[in-house]
Amino acid sequence: MDTSAKVTLFEDIFEVTDLNPDGKKFEAVNRLAATGTTFECDLLLDINASIYKVRESEKITLVLASTLHLDGSPADHFSFTPNSTEPTLADNYEYVMHGRIFEMNYKKDNMVVIAASFGGLLMRLTGDQRHLANILPDMRLYLLLKKD
C-alpha cells in the first residue's frame, strides 16, 4: 500500500478552466476555477499568486490530507516544525496550505459542497459525496498542489 494513501482524504487532477472568474480582487491572490478529471468535482481555490503561478488550461494535482506524516501519525495542527531527516508528504508537492473545513452543504443527487479556509484563502469543492466522504465538518487538513 502506498504510504500516502493512509493520509490522503481526497486526490484528483484538476484542469484549470478560469483564473479570477469574478475579476481580480486582491493583487497577490488568484482564484482558480477548475474541474476534476477523474471525479468531475468543481473547484474554486484561492492561491497566493506571488509564490505559486498557475495558468488557465494547466493541470494540477490537488490532495487533501489529514497529516503530512507519511506513516499516518496525526498532525498536531497547531505548529509545524520541519524535520529535515524525516520525509513528509509535502516533499512531493510544490504548494502546501493548512486550513479548516468551515461549511458542508449536502445537496440533491448525493452532491456535497465543501468550504474551507486556509488562513483566509478559500476553497470550495463540489462533488459526489462518495468521493468526498473522508472530509468532515470542522476538520483541520492540508491542501497540497503540484503541476502535472
Side-chain angles (χ1 to χ4, degrees), residues 27-100:
E27 185 177 327
V29 177
N30 276 336
R31 177 162 286 174
L32 311 177
T35 303
T37 60
T38 303
F39 300 120
E40 298 176 352
C41 293
D42 290 325
L43 174 71
L44 270 180
L45 177 65
D46 294 344
I47 61 167
N48 184 330
S50 62
I51 61 172
Y52 195 66
K53 306 280 188 223
V54 177
R55 292 189 300 266
E56 204 171 309
S57 77
E58 279 190 315
K59 289 188 178 180
I60 54 173
T61 296
L62 176 134
V63 171
L64 298 176
S66 59
T67 181
L68 295 177
H69 302 292
L70 293 176
D71 64 1
S73 60
D76 70 7
H77 291 287
F78 296 106
S79 63
F80 178 67
T81 308
N83 180 351
S84 61
T85 62
E86 184 179 321
T88 70
L89 187 60
D91 295 337
N92 301 319
Y93 293 86
E94 302 163 341
Y95 185 81
V96 180
M97 297 191 292
H98 178 263
R100 175 181 244 159

Side-chain angles (χ1 to χ4, degrees), residues 16-27:
V16 178
T17 56
D18 199 0
L19 279 179
N20 302 307
D22 298 322
K24 191 149 175 84
K25 306 288 185 203
F26 301 101
E27 185 177 327

